[in-house]
Amino acid sequence: MDTCVRNGYYEEALELSSYVKQLERKHSELAIIQSIVSDVSQCSQLMLTQLLQQFRTSIQLPACLKLVGYLRRLDVFSETELRIKFLQARDAWFQGKLNEIPADDRETL
């Protein structure tokens, strides 16, 4: 899963995460399963960070929608929290773009 997350294969990473959750429900008493669950949890945190960070870049609407879908599948945030995270990240990107505008040009806006 780590390789999938680091290379941006989020769909595959989410499938692996889902499978590990099934294994955990069936065999939670096994130490190896607990170890795998722990590793997958760490990878999920990395994926969450990467997904949220992408909202702070110059991405188009279809990519934003795909990212929101991934975040929904991670099931970390409520719908309201997800909307707030999205708006905060996009606002940070937008404010950065505004700050890149020279002061002379800002007065004409």
Side-chain angles (χ1 to χ4, degrees):
M1 182 168 165
D2 184 59
T3 301
C4 290
V5 171
R6 290 189 188 282
N7 291 313
Y9 300 125
Y10 301 120
E11 187 72 36
E12 292 81 359
L14 288 166
E15 288 176 16
L16 287 170
S17 177
S18 176
Y19 181 70
V20 168
K21 286 178 185 175
Q22 289 176 0
L23 284 176
E24 182 183 27
R25 281 192 295 273
K26 292 179 183 178
H27 307 288
S28 62
E29 70 282 354
L30 298 175
I32 188 71
I33 298 296
Q34 292 172 359
S35 174
I36 292 170
V37 168
S38 175
D39 290 346
V40 167
S41 177
Q42 289 176 355
C43 289
S44 293
Q45 275 302 122
L46 175 62
M47 182 165 56
L48 175 64
T49 302
Q50 286 181 0
L51 292 172
L52 291 173
Q53 192 60 37
Q54 286 186 41
F55 284 130
R56 295 174 180 266
T57 64
S58 179
I59 60 173
Q60 299 296 315
L61 180 61
C64 284
L65 295 175
K66 187 180 277 191
L67 294 177
V68 167
Y70 293 149
L71 289 169
R72 282 187 177 132
R73 287 177 57 194
L74 274 175
D75 199 29
V76 175
F77 303 118
S78 70
E79 193 63 29
T80 303
E81 291 170 329
L82 181 56
R83 290 174 185 183
I84 291 170
K85 291 288 186 186
F86 172 79
L87 291 172
Q88 287 172 335
R90 293 308 287 166
D91 182 58
W93 170 78
F94 187 64
Q95 292 299 325
K97 287 295 177 188
L98 287 176
N99 290 336
E100 291 175 7
I101 299 172
D104 299 345
D105 293 342
R106 286 186 208 167
E107 293 173 7
T108 61
L109 296 177

